[in-house]
Structures are given as structure tokens and as C-alpha cells.
Amino acid sequence: MDRIQSAFARARREGRSCFVAYLCAGDPDYETSLELCRTLIRGGVDVLELGVPFSDPLADGRTNQLAAQRALQSGITQQQVLQLARDVRAFCECPIVFYSYYNLIFSQGQRAYVDRLVDAGVDGLLVLDLPPEEGEELIHASRKAGLKNIFIVAPTTPPYRVARIAQAASGFVYYVSREGVTGVRENLETNIAMAVSEIRRHTSLPVAVGFGISNRSQVREVAAVADGVVVGSALVNCIGEHSADPQAAVAALEAKFAHLRGGLQT
């Protein structure tokens, strides 16, 4: 099995969901970003999702927009983002998924970009603004290279498109638990279990749920119905609140992640 398959299989054996954690690569600077990745891996993250800093992150709320801004202001480059993945891969086998936007890929040449990701040890690619109907070239290049394509299903996605997305996806399917952009929310939508069930009608891939999950009870609620729980903004806030003090940022992230991950326990 590949690393993503292995992570979800291990979680199933342990009777729990996978914890997928998002950080923006290079936030607030390269060395701190690497240490934050180490912290999550030591804490037991199942899948590490790295956001590729972008000037126009359309699907991201304020928290992740500011994270991308901090990373870009620190001077992070596309080459350094790849190097971050290499540095993480050097000390662990945790699956790495890049969370990106299509312009960053198209401008570099899709096949060349995929090859660079695989060479750096990246396992999957989630392109926020690329629907599967427009992604044939990227999907073909990814399958040839062994890179998984994670696609998003939204609450507004009709059943016929769920089937189309599921057909194109590999690795896992990412269900966005609510309309809008990323960000912490006090309450989750009430139709998550029904939506996950509908996706499972069309695919045997694991289904992970994200957007808005910010506390332990929400993690527990989602973990009861989904194969994976994705948390981003609640973790990224730890960095934003301590961006001038790397040690404090690492300590805050470690504590927050441990608390949230506790929601996976039955």
C-alpha cells in the first residue's frame, strides 16, 4: 500500500479516524515551519497537509490567508516548499499532501510539477480551484507518477457530480462540511453523516471531513461518521498568535494538537 492507504488502514485497525492536520508551508519562517511539522508528527498526526503559500487563496478564510502572507513575507519560495517536504520525508513516513491552487501548477508545467512533488516525497495533491472536468492532464500525469489526486465535495454538490468527482479522485475524498471558506466555527452542520454516506455510495476511498472543525467535541462528532478529520485554522491560529516567538508557537501547537487529537479516542 502507498503511504496514504497505509495511514487510513492503520487508523481503521485502531478503531478510529485519521487525523489530517493542515499547516501553511513556511509559516512564519522556514525553520519554524519545519519544527512545527516535527511537532505534529511527534504528536501522532496521520496525514500532514501542507498549504502552498499563494497570494490569492480564494478558498481560505482570514486565518489561513494571514498564514500565507506571513510565509510569503518571510521569503518562502516554491523551491523551499518542496525542500520542506524533502526535509520532513527525511525523518518520517507520514503521508504529505500539498494543498494548492491551479495557477501555481499550470505556470510551472503540470507534468514537471508532479514529478517535482513525487521526487520531494509528496504523496497527494489537493488543488482547490481545479474541478475534475478540467483536470485531465494533471490527473493523467499524477497517476503515471504515483501521486494521488484529492478532490473536494461540497454541501452543494449534486449527486451526479459526486459520482464524477469520486471517479477522478484517488487517495481520499475531502468533504467540505459547510459552504464558504476555511475558518474556525462554533457549530458544525447537521447533515455531515448523510453527506458522507452519499459519497460512500460512489467510492470505496476514505472520506475525510474538514472546514470549521476547531474543538475536541467537533473532532469526536466527525470521527464518528468519517474516515478522517481535517483540522487547519484551529492549529494555524496557534502560529498566528505567537508568530514573533517561535518557541511559544511550537508549544501552543503541541498543546492544541494533543487536545484535539484526544477527540479520536472512543
Side-chain angles (χ1 to χ4, degrees):
M1 290 190 289
D2 60 61
R3 282 185 284 255
I4 293 177
Q5 284 179 309
S6 294
F8 280 96
R10 181 174 63 252
R12 283 195 297 271
R13 289 195 301 271
E14 295 174 1
R16 61 175 179 82
S17 287
C18 269
F19 198 113
V20 182
Y22 170 92
L23 295 178
C24 181
D27 176 30
D29 57 68
Y30 188 92
E31 293 302 327
T32 305
S33 184
L34 179 58
E35 185 56 33
L36 292 165
C37 291
R38 288 184 186 273
T39 299
L40 291 178
I41 290 162
R42 285 196 301 265
V45 71
D46 295 295
V47 179
L48 179 63
E49 186 179 359
L50 291 177
V52 180
F54 185 47
S55 58
D56 298 289
L58 300 177
D60 294 304
R62 178 175 173 79
T63 293
N64 290 346
Q65 286 183 15
L66 290 174
Q69 182 176 315
R70 288 191 298 269
L72 292 171
Q73 288 177 340
S74 77
I76 195 76
T77 66
Q78 295 295 304
Q79 289 303 314
Q80 287 177 315
V81 172
L82 289 170
Q83 187 59 49
L84 181 67
R86 290 190 191 94
D87 288 346
V88 171
R89 180 59 64 229
F91 62 80
C92 81
E93 285 297 302
C94 177
I96 300 171
V97 172
F98 269 19
Y99 170 111
S100 191
Y101 290 86
Y102 186 54
N103 189 53
L104 295 173
I105 299 163
F106 182 79
S107 62
Q108 299 182 58
Q110 297 180 74
R111 296 183 183 182
Y113 186 82
V114 165
D115 288 342
R116 291 188 195 106
L117 261 60
V118 172
D119 182 67
V122 176
D123 301 281
L125 178 62
L126 194 168
V127 186
L128 274 295
D129 54 351
L130 180 68
E133 292 87 349
E134 303 295 332
E136 183 177 344
E137 183 178 347
L138 182 62
I139 293 168
H140 177 75
S142 298
R143 288 180 176 172
K144 185 176 180 180
L147 184 74
K148 303 303 181 182
N149 296 114
I150 293 94
F151 283 100
I152 283 179
V153 173
T156 54
T157 304
Y160 80 90
R161 287 214 73 244
V162 174
R164 175 69 183 87
I165 292 166
Q167 182 182 33
S170 53
F172 61 93
V173 175
Y174 190 140
Y175 177 67
V176 175
S177 64
R178 59 180 177 76
E179 298 177 42
V181 297
T182 62
V184 170
R185 292 291 185 273
E186 291 185 5
N187 299 303
L188 295 177
E189 299 295 329
T190 58
N191 65 338
I192 293 175
M194 185 183 303
V196 171
S197 178
E198 172 63 23
I199 295 169
R200 285 175 172 158
R201 287 183 56 241
H202 302 282
T203 183
S204 60
L205 291 174
V207 180
V209 176
F211 277 45
I213 301 169
S214 60
N215 60 54
R216 183 183 284 195
S217 64
Q218 291 173 346
V219 170
R220 183 176 295 111
E221 182 180 344
V222 172
V225 298
D227 304 294
V229 181
V230 187
V231 179
S233 295
L235 299 174
V236 176
N237 276 333
C238 298
I239 305 165
E241 292 166 1
H242 303 281
S243 58
D245 186 346
Q247 290 185 335
V250 170
L253 181 75
E254 182 176 30
K256 184 69 172 181
F257 177 70
H259 175 74
L260 291 172
R261 195 179 185 282
L264 298 181
Q265 308 305 317
T266 57

